[in-house]
């Protein structure tokens, strides 16, 4: 097998590692590309291509994350990871860990960890790397890596409920939610939302957002019921999709351009959070990006015209 073939075989794994460390599709792709350049120019062929490439992409991702942390401190409004429509890496033995770790909720919790903790946690808990491999990758002792994992686990457990593992249940609830949303049915929407549900948008100051967010089942249900009919009247489309391994949707304008993405967090048979990403800088990999502000203005005009 040639170097190029070895790399392409491992590319899905490398991207998946980088995305979970950086929370960015674009930055993960850049890290993978830089890994390829280093692999292509390496003078000697390592004993394990997987170990070598995983180590390189992890180190690059740690550096990217350290730089990104500074930018995120001055980010306008809430910061969410870039939406991921499909994780390219699959491992039947670790399918639960892989699916859980790519959710918006999990990625936001990973933001609480230091870059080194995050990388070690991802390699160990998500991808099942041995502590020897991890120690070699991050330049720490095995004992230090074990301590990093222990601290990371504690931070993750303190910050999150476990979301429902039954995918069929979540999908069934999402179908009911989007049906009620399409019909503008406040009562049905209210029944599907947790009492303390929150609707929050990441716009980065470059796309429409809902101030500091909307909270509470009644308020969110009324907003959603009022939002969709005028959006549909101007040709807007809601395309239910899996986003970050969760029920979600892509909103498109009449020309099929992406306006935003939504993800639904589900727990105890209710939607706990709706997170939307409308920052155009985070949507280019989803498809051609539309003018969210123009769509908002036209939607508001259509709503007033009724």
């Amino acid at each position: 097998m040639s170097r190029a073939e070895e790399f392409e075989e491992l590319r899905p794994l490398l991207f998946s590692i980088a995305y979970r460390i950086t929370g960015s599709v674009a930055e993960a792709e850049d890290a993978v590309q830089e890994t390829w350049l280093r692999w292509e120019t390496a003078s000697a062929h390592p004993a394990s291509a997987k170990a070598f490439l995983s180590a390189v992409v992890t180190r690059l991702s740690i550096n990217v994350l350290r730089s990104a942390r500074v930018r995120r401190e001055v980010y306008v409004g809430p910061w969410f990871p870039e939406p991921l429509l499909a994780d390219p890496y699959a491992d039947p033995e670790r399918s639960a860990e892989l699916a859980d770790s790519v959710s918006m909720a999990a990625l936001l919790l990973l933001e609480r960890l230091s870059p080194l903790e995050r990388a070690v946690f991802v390699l160990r808990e998500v991808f099942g790397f041995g502590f020897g491999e991890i120690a070699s990758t991050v330049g720490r002792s095995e004992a230090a890596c074990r301590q990093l994992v222990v601290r990371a686990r504690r931070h993750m457990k303190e910050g999150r409920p476990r979301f429902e593992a039954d995918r069929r249940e979540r999908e069934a609830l999402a179908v009911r939610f989007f049906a009620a949303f399409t019909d503008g049915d406040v009562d049905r929407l209210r029944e599907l939302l947790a009492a303390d549900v929150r609707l929050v948008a990441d716009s980065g100051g470059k796309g429409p957002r809902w101030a500091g967010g909307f909270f509470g089942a009644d308020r969110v249900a009324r907003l959603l019921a009022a939002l969709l009919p005028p959006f549909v009247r101007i040709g807007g489309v809601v395309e239910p999709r899996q986003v970050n391994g969760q029920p979600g949707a892509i909103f498109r304008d009449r020309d099929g351009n992406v306006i935003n993405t939504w993800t639904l967090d589900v727990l105890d048979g209710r939607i706990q959070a709706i997170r939307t990403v409308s920052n155009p800088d985070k949507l280019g990999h989803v498809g051609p990006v539309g003018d969210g502000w123009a769509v908002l203005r036209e939607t508001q005009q259509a709503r007033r015209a009724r």
Side-chain angles (χ1 to χ4, degrees):
M1 185 182 293
S2 70
R3 282 199 177 197
E5 289 170 333
E6 284 183 295
F7 185 85
E8 287 306 316
E9 187 175 273
L10 290 165
R11 182 188 288 273
L13 170 64
L14 303 179
F15 173 85
S16 294
I17 291 171
Y19 176 74
R20 286 164 173 81
I21 294 174
T22 64
S24 165
V25 171
E27 289 170 344
E29 289 174 343
D30 288 346
V32 171
Q33 182 60 27
E34 179 62 26
T35 300
W36 159 249
L37 295 175
R38 298 192 184 192
W39 172 246
E40 187 181 32
T41 57
S43 56
H45 195 290
S48 169
K50 178 183 176 183
F52 176 87
L53 292 169
S54 299
V56 171
V57 83
T58 297
R59 292 173 194 144
L60 289 169
S61 298
I62 290 172
N63 291 336
V64 167
L65 181 59
R66 284 172 175 156
S67 174
R69 284 285 172 88
V70 177
R71 298 192 301 274
R72 291 173 193 176
E73 287 175 0
V74 296
Y75 193 81
V76 178
W79 179 92
F80 296 156
E82 290 184 8
L84 183 68
L85 298 186
D87 186 358
Y89 179 70
D91 180 352
E93 294 184 0
R94 306 195 67 82
S95 58
E97 293 91 339
L98 290 168
D100 190 56
S101 66
V102 83
S103 71
M104 283 281 182
L107 291 170
L108 287 170
L109 281 175
L110 285 171
E111 287 290 306
R112 299 184 178 193
L113 308 181
S114 72
L116 192 58
E117 285 175 336
R118 182 167 180 165
V120 171
F121 181 86
V122 165
L123 291 177
R124 178 62 184 175
E125 298 295 288
V126 180
F127 294 99
F129 279 69
F131 280 108
E133 293 175 286
I134 296 170
S136 176
T137 294
V138 301
R140 297 290 193 276
S141 68
E142 288 190 39
C145 289
R146 289 179 188 276
Q147 286 302 310
L148 286 167
V149 168
V150 169
R151 288 205 301 269
R153 284 176 185 156
R154 184 169 61 247
H155 289 314
M156 295 293 283
K157 287 180 180 178
E158 287 172 354
R160 74 173 306 179
R162 296 290 293 184
F163 292 103
E164 289 181 297
D166 191 326
R167 182 174 296 274
R168 286 175 298 180
E169 250 183 75
R170 289 187 303 177
E171 292 303 320
L173 188 146
V175 168
R176 291 164 58 203
F177 169 79
F178 283 114
F181 185 31
T182 301
D183 294 341
D185 190 322
V186 174
D187 292 333
R188 282 164 57 204
L189 283 168
R190 193 186 294 113
E191 290 175 0
L192 299 172
L193 301 173
D196 58 350
V197 65
R198 58 196 187 280
L199 170 61
V200 189
D202 170 349
S203 72
K206 299 181 179 182
R209 72 184 184 99
W210 296 300
F214 289 86
F215 304 88
D218 187 67
R219 192 179 185 199
V220 171
R222 292 183 182 281
L223 173 69
L224 295 177
L227 175 68
L228 194 63
F231 176 70
V232 171
R233 284 200 298 274
I234 67 168
V237 174
V238 180
E239 178 187 321
R241 287 284 299 270
Q242 284 281 314
V243 181
N244 286 82
Q246 300 168 272
I250 302 171
F251 282 59
R252 300 182 185 273
D253 65 17
R254 65 168 63 90
D255 298 315
N257 298 315
V258 178
I259 301 302
N260 59 38
T261 62
W262 287 29
T263 56
L264 311 179
D265 282 350
V266 177
L267 180 67
D268 296 331
R270 294 288 186 275
I271 294 168
Q272 305 287 325
I274 303 171
R275 295 188 177 93
T276 83
V277 175
S278 60
N279 183 343
D281 294 345
K282 294 186 173 186
L283 298 173
H285 63 283
V286 178
V289 180
D291 186 340
W293 291 110
V295 170
L296 176 62
R297 288 192 296 271
E298 194 174 350
T299 299
Q300 290 173 333
Q301 290 170 0
R303 185 180 177 187
R304 288 193 294 267
R306 294 292 288 183

